[in-house]
Amino acid sequence: MTIKIKRCFGKQALPKVTQGNNALRLQDWINLQAQTPLLFSDNQTESMARLLPLLLCGEQSAQLVFNQEIIRLHVQDLDKTLSTDISQRNGKIVTSLMEVESDECRHDIALQTVSDKLPYIEDTRQVQRLAKRFYSGLGRVNDYSQHFVRIAILDTCVTQIMQAFETSKLGGEHPFSVLCGLIKKDEAKHVYISRHHAIELGATNDDFYQQQSLITHELFQLLTSQHHSFENMGICLDAIQHKLEEKWQ
């Protein structure tokens, strides 16, 4: 019997937005895997048990960030001094942010489905502490625009990491590889939404440039804490980091 790992951030929630082709594919994946054994080799099982807490912390942190921003914009919209144009713009932004929040919720549920089928690793809490420190640090900025600059950069990194899982030693037909491919599609969309929102809040291209190396470096410091598990899955963190650094140049 496996032990369900504790959440890093927030409470378990259901997605508020359920339409969209990728949303339906993810829900179908969740429904199927809830009733189907998920098979890994012994070596892969231990590696996945070590990596899932990192992935789950990221999805849970993202849900919390987008939920808080939705609430902030709702409160702002109650300000009667706002112009109609700003109020309408806020409404459109909130709709996009709710889509992202719902996507991250589905990712969380799907990854938890995987985690529930894996053994509990004794140093899980230590891994979670490192992850919580990193994700909490993303919000230590002077304004909201800088926070979403960092989120857009992080989502770009996550897109590359999901692609690496999609093409890992598991093979493209493995259910987890399929899941990572679905998550990758969502994260690519999230990059656009977060970047656009950051710019709407006042961010500039220089802001992105200044944060890219920092966020990439700090994220890969976190991931390197489990580099042996990534290697066991056929994922080279150095190659992904190098690819991202080339992209930022």
Side-chain angles (χ1 to χ4, degrees):
M1 181 179 177
T2 58
I3 301 173
K4 191 165 185 174
I5 63 175
K6 293 184 179 179
R7 297 181 64 81
C8 287
F9 299 97
K11 296 179 180 179
Q12 182 74 62
L14 294 174
K16 300 180 183 71
V17 180
T18 57
Q19 66 265 28
N21 291 336
N22 213 48
L24 293 174
R25 293 187 194 104
L26 267 161
Q27 192 58 55
D28 286 345
W29 189 98
I30 291 167
N31 294 341
L32 177 63
Q33 295 308 317
Q35 307 170 43
T36 309
L38 199 56
L39 302 178
F40 299 98
S41 69
D42 289 346
N43 195 30
Q44 291 167 350
T45 295
E46 182 173 351
S47 295
M48 290 298 298
R50 293 183 180 279
L51 296 176
L52 259 294
L54 288 176
L55 302 180
L56 280 165
C57 274
E59 299 296 349
Q60 292 161 11
S61 171
Q63 283 180 76
L64 185 61
V65 167
F66 283 93
N67 181 261
Q68 289 176 338
E69 183 65 355
I70 289 165
I71 292 171
R72 186 183 76 83
L73 291 174
H74 272 312
V75 170
Q76 186 183 84
D77 210 33
L78 295 175
D79 184 347
K80 301 303 182 183
T81 65
L82 283 182
S83 69
T84 302
D85 286 346
I86 293 176
S87 182
Q88 289 177 345
R89 187 183 67 187
N90 278 1
K92 292 178 181 178
I93 292 170
V94 165
T95 298
S96 294
L97 298 181
M98 285 181 66
E99 288 181 13
V100 176
E101 181 193 18
S102 295
D103 290 343
E104 303 290 12
C105 182
R106 269 184 291 273
H107 301 170
D108 180 18
I109 293 168
L111 291 171
Q112 189 66 62
T113 300
V114 179
S115 179
D116 288 347
K117 298 181 180 184
L118 295 169
Y120 182 83
I121 302 298
E122 287 302 320
D123 58 359
T124 292
R125 296 307 298 275
Q126 181 181 353
V127 173
Q128 287 181 312
R129 279 195 295 271
L130 292 173
K132 287 179 73 172
R133 187 183 307 158
F134 167 74
Y135 288 109
S136 297
L138 291 175
R140 297 193 188 103
V141 287
N142 295 325
D143 55 51
Y144 295 107
S145 69
Q146 296 303 301
H147 195 184
F148 278 88
V149 165
R150 291 181 166 193
I151 296 299
I153 294 167
L154 177 63
D155 284 347
T156 301
C157 297
V158 173
T159 302
Q160 295 297 324
I161 293 164
M162 288 298 108
Q163 183 173 345
F165 271 111
E166 189 181 11
T167 56
S168 71
K169 287 181 178 178
L170 290 172
E173 300 301 315
H174 192 281
F176 188 75
S177 301
V178 173
L179 171 61
C180 290
L182 294 172
I183 292 175
K184 179 187 72 176
K185 288 182 180 180
D186 282 342
E187 295 297 342
K189 176 183 71 176
H190 300 173
V191 172
Y192 173 82
I193 291 173
S194 295
R195 182 179 179 85
H196 180 73
H197 187 46
I199 292 169
E200 285 281 329
L201 291 169
T204 65
N205 286 336
D206 283 344
D207 292 325
F208 285 94
Y209 181 77
Q210 290 170 9
Q211 291 289 328
Q212 282 160 352
S213 294
L214 172 66
I215 299 305
T216 305
H217 175 72
E218 291 187 353
L219 172 63
F220 279 83
Q221 272 194 320
L222 169 64
L223 300 180
T224 300
S225 69
Q226 299 299 321
H227 71 278
H228 289 305
S229 294
F230 280 105
E231 287 175 359
N232 287 341
M233 301 304 298
I235 295 173
C236 178
L237 292 177
D238 287 341
I240 301 173
Q241 186 171 2
H242 182 66
K243 184 177 180 180
L244 285 162
E245 288 170 346
E246 284 189 331
K247 180 182 178 66
W248 304 141
Q249 292 177 0

